[in-house]
Amino acid sequence: MKRFLLLLAIGLAAAAPEFVEVAQDDSRFAMFGKRGGGREIAPVDNALYKKECASCHFGYQPGLLPAQSWSYIMQNLEKHYGVDASIDEQDRVAITNYVLANSSEKAAATYRRSAKLTASMQPGVIYLSITEIPYHIKKHRKIDKHLITQKEVGSLARCAACHTSADEGVYKKRDVKIPNYGAWRD
């Protein structure tokens, strides 16, 4: 039996060498194709993006928005949610290339949350915020408004206020800790 399993494993490796190579070389993929290695969205892994964007607000993973939305945001940095977030052109192009290459529709094949976000979007709509995306709205619809607007959270755009592993690309329910939720329930 051991010999059979060994031969089967060797045969599978020979039949799909590109899969084995990807599994060994790309840390986002767990062996045998587990999508995203347990993460739901690819974490931010670009130093320039972290420096220019995540230094002012939560570093939203590119897989949270479609390319069309990222393009709009990056072309309108002088009017970035009421703030002039302009950066030099070379950095803007580099960050734009990063977010477009990792946008929700590109990440959907590997990361399940990106896939769900993308599937819920209407074609041709430019979503200016993650909070406008139908899947996001659906997932947060049962949260009482005062828990969202409280000073510890502020808005649904502040992911890390409740999602304790958001910076790692993990948005699982078990990692949600809404501030003052217990006090409100008592």
Side-chain angles (χ1 to χ4, degrees):
M1 183 63 151
K2 287 182 184 179
R3 184 175 178 190
F4 170 77
L5 291 175
L6 179 61
L7 290 172
L8 178 63
I10 292 169
L12 287 173
E18 66 281 349
F19 174 74
V20 174
E21 185 177 318
V22 167
Q24 291 172 348
D25 294 342
D26 191 339
S27 62
R28 293 179 305 163
F29 295 92
M31 195 59 144
F32 304 114
K34 183 178 179 186
R35 292 178 9 157
R39 292 190 173 105
E40 298 175 297
I41 294 193
V44 173
D45 62 356
N46 181 286
L48 182 60
Y49 178 89
K50 287 179 182 179
K51 176 184 168 231
E52 294 295 344
C53 305
S55 62
C56 294
H57 56 70
F58 174 72
Y60 298 102
Q61 292 91 357
L64 291 170
L65 281 172
Q68 190 174 3
S69 295
W70 283 118
S71 290
Y72 179 86
I73 290 167
M74 294 305 297
Q75 290 171 6
N76 293 284
L77 290 175
E78 71 283 353
K79 298 177 281 189
H80 189 68
Y81 304 99
V83 176
D84 184 352
S86 299
I87 56 178
D88 71 55
E89 185 61 12
Q90 183 178 350
D91 288 349
R92 189 192 69 74
V93 169
I95 292 171
T96 299
N97 289 338
Y98 167 68
V99 295
L100 294 180
N102 295 284
S103 63
S104 67
E105 58 275 62
K106 300 264 173 84
T110 306
Y111 295 95
R112 73 180 185 93
R113 194 73 64 174
S114 290
K116 289 179 179 189
L117 286 160
T118 301
S120 77
M121 296 180 214
Q122 297 297 312
V125 173
I126 298 176
Y127 294 92
L128 300 180
S129 170
I130 295 155
T131 61
E132 296 176 352
I133 297 172
Y135 177 77
H136 186 276
I137 293 168
K138 176 184 172 189
K139 294 302 283 184
H140 294 86
R141 72 185 182 282
K142 293 181 181 176
I143 301 171
D144 289 322
K145 186 174 176 116
H146 76 277
L147 290 171
I148 297 165
T149 58
Q150 65 175 305
K151 68 177 179 161
E152 292 84 357
V153 178
S155 80
L156 288 177
R158 294 195 54 227
C159 305
C162 300
H163 294 274
T164 61
S165 300
D167 59 334
E168 299 167 25
V170 178
Y171 290 86
K172 293 180 180 172
K173 193 173 187 176
R174 71 169 186 246
D175 294 323
V176 172
K177 305 270 187 286
I178 301 173
N180 302 311
Y181 180 75
W184 171 77
R185 302 283 293 170
D186 294 336

